[in-house]
Amino acid sequence: MRRSARIFATVAVTGLAVSACGGNASGGSDGGSSSGDTLVIGVDLPLQGASKDASESTVNAMQLYLDQTGSKAGKYKVKLKVYDDSTAAKGAWDDATCAKNAQDHVGNTAEVAVMGTYNSGCAKIIAPVLNQDPSGPMLMVSHANTNPGLTKAWDPGEPEKYFPSGKRNYARVIATDDYQGAAGAQFAAKDLGVKKCYVLNDNQTYGQGVGKAFEEAAKKQGIDVLGNQAWDAKQPNYTGLFTSIKASNPDCVYLAGVFDNNGGQLVKDKVKVLGDNSKVKLLAPDGFSGYPEFDGLAQAQGAYITFAGLTASTLREEGGPGADLLDAYKKKYGADPATSYALYAVEALQVILQAIEKSDGTRKSVNEQVFSGSGISIPAAESIVGKKLDIDTETGDVSVLDMSVLQVVNKEEKFLKPWPLS
């Protein structure tokens, strides 16, 4: 898209280097070997495909915040190095690319922490590698990973298998899918009056997890879950899939996955076979949020999305650091970030910067600031999300749990209401 290309060109001239897989782990301008007390924070995101706009605005927001803070954390100078964990061929995050990025993060000796990833499946590949770094573990803080298993018991062996050293090195600043799936199901039952819902998942870590959480909570709400099956992202159309679903007469379809996985065609065929979203409700988790391509679809209008945090519009209304950053962003780029997760990336950056400030500048010490002692605590007056934020030193989970319900109206994601979490 022309808009995203213009935005990222602006990032490039600030000194950030964008490398397809992390690229060269040495050299000056690419954020590799640095002189003096300059430390590098890796930023690991999918920069190709449907996630492009969201990822580019995320990098822009982080760099803007870093510029505002003088690119410093205590006595250390700090800069970002951007890694692309997607491929052009796949148009989304890629297992092999995530694995290569993990090695590149460790190999870049100036790098002390990683902000990312966007996709939980990619995080599950990178986190164990960073955990075994002989000079670490190396800290990883995600703004968008919602799969519960990264920090707490979920699937067999989780989360211990991501921390082979026996020490934690992964944290996040948003709520998890056990909360998000439940919120979606509660909203469907209580606000929309849904009685029968069919769950489709994208057969990936995130989609399977949030689909499982939605299904379990939906049953508790009295919703008849008609099925939970995977959609194949490589299919040219899904008319046959929805024709088979139509026979069970659902009044709701829940798309548990990410829009990157052929979500556009899936939504088009849902409406083609089952009817528009006023007839058969369409619900999705945050894997469908922040995609202009999805928001612009005629067939997406009226769809509901849960978002595991507060939206940019909410943060602007509440004032404070988040609103100030949004105003500065809009002044520079002419619009708000393409995704509200861009603000959570800045929140994750705040966690990393505080850890660096308290550390001796080594990977091991940076990680220890998060997972030992007094840990990381960001006062409400400084926090981008406007609330006091603490990272649990045992698990890496965040103390602030928010959930928003959005609806696609006039090709935009409109904030509908907050959803209480328990």
Side-chain angles (χ1 to χ4, degrees):
M1 289 185 175
R2 183 177 299 132
R3 179 172 70 85
S4 59
R6 175 182 61 79
I7 290 175
F8 206 63
T10 306
V11 174
V13 300
T14 67
L16 286 179
V18 181
S19 146
C21 300
N24 185 8
S26 63
S29 62
D30 72 351
S33 299
S34 302
S35 60
D37 291 326
T38 300
L39 302 178
V40 174
I41 299 171
V43 182
D44 206 301
L45 299 168
L47 296 166
Q48 303 178 76
S51 293
K52 183 179 177 66
D53 282 3
S55 294
E56 292 175 357
S57 61
T58 296
V59 175
N60 284 334
M62 292 179 68
Q63 185 61 48
L64 178 61
Y65 179 80
L66 202 59
D67 291 343
Q68 291 176 343
T69 58
S71 298
K72 295 197 71 178
K75 67 179 181 179
Y76 301 103
K77 295 178 182 177
V78 179
K79 63 180 179 179
L80 307 179
K81 176 175 172 61
V82 182
Y83 295 74
D84 184 1
D85 57 41
S86 63
T87 64
K90 193 171 181 181
W93 76 276
D94 173 73
D95 296 60
T97 306
C98 292
K100 183 181 186 304
N101 283 6
Q103 298 296 333
D104 288 345
H105 289 306
V106 172
N108 184 351
T109 56
E111 193 168 319
V112 295
V114 176
M115 199 306 295
T117 57
Y118 178 73
N119 300 97
S120 296
C122 186
K124 290 186 176 185
I125 294 170
I126 293 177
V129 177
L130 304 188
N131 185 260
Q132 298 175 86
D133 173 22
S135 64
M138 188 175 182
L139 176 64
M140 182 176 184
V141 184
S142 174
H143 64 310
N145 294 159
T146 52
N147 183 267
L150 283 156
T151 54
K152 49 192 169 184
W154 190 245
D155 288 332
E158 293 182 335
E160 290 78 16
K161 65 183 179 181
Y162 307 118
F163 311 108
S165 73
K167 299 177 181 178
R168 295 281 181 126
N169 67 308
Y170 173 90
R172 54 179 147 205
V173 295
I174 36 79
T176 48
D177 286 333
D178 43 348
Y179 293 104
Q180 179 169 206
Q186 291 162 10
F187 171 74
K190 296 177 181 179
D191 286 36
L192 302 182
V194 166
K195 301 299 182 184
K196 297 193 295 182
C197 195
Y198 205 100
V199 179
L200 292 172
N201 73 79
D202 64 1
N203 208 30
Q204 292 188 349
T205 297
Y206 163 75
Q208 290 174 334
V210 73
K212 168 186 171 183
F214 178 89
E215 179 180 5
E216 291 176 352
K219 291 176 180 178
K220 292 178 182 178
Q221 295 295 319
I223 295 175
D224 183 7
V225 178
L226 303 170
N228 184 348
Q229 72 176 98
W231 82 78
D232 181 355
K234 297 180 181 179
Q235 290 300 310
N237 68 75
Y238 302 96
T239 54
L241 172 63
F242 284 111
T243 298
S244 66
I245 291 173
K246 186 175 183 179
S248 58
N249 195 31
D251 56 3
C252 154
V253 173
Y254 185 77
L255 302 181
V258 293
F259 179 72
D260 307 65
N261 289 325
N262 208 14
Q265 188 62 48
L266 192 71
V267 171
K268 290 176 183 177
D269 289 335
K270 177 269 174 193
V271 172
K272 178 180 179 181
V273 177
L274 300 181
D276 67 27
N277 301 323
S278 63
K279 180 180 179 181
V280 176
K281 303 294 189 294
L282 180 63
L283 284 83
D286 58 343
F288 275 70
S289 177
Y291 293 94
E293 185 180 341
F294 171 68
D295 296 340
L297 287 175
Q299 296 88 345
Q301 305 312 298
Y304 298 96
I305 306 173
T306 52
F307 177 77
L310 299 174
T311 65
S313 61
T314 302
L315 291 172
R316 175 172 274 119
E317 289 175 4
E318 293 183 352
D324 292 342
L325 184 68
L326 282 169
D327 288 344
Y329 188 100
K330 192 167 186 176
K331 181 178 181 181
K332 184 168 185 177
Y333 297 110
D336 281 342
T339 173
S340 293
Y341 274 133
L343 291 172
Y344 282 84
V346 176
E347 188 74 61
L349 178 60
Q350 288 186 308
V351 170
I352 294 171
L353 291 175
Q354 188 178 117
I356 291 173
E357 182 175 359
K358 295 171 64 177
S359 77
D360 64 11
T362 64
R363 290 176 179 175
K364 181 175 183 290
S365 180
V366 170
N367 190 63
E368 286 175 344
Q369 306 316 308
V370 179
F371 292 98
S372 64
S374 60
I376 299 298
S377 182
I378 301 175
E382 299 174 13
S383 170
I384 290 297
V385 298
K387 300 179 180 181
K388 182 177 181 292
L389 181 147
D390 299 303
I391 299 295
D392 189 313
T393 57
E394 297 294 325
T395 66
D397 275 321
V398 68
S399 60
V400 177
L401 298 177
D402 290 299
M403 193 69 61
S404 301
V405 179
L406 318 176
Q407 186 175 25
V408 181
V409 179
N410 295 328
K411 300 184 178 181
E412 293 183 16
E413 294 172 24
K414 302 289 188 180
F415 174 75
L416 192 62
K417 65 190 302 183
W419 197 262
L421 298 179
S422 58

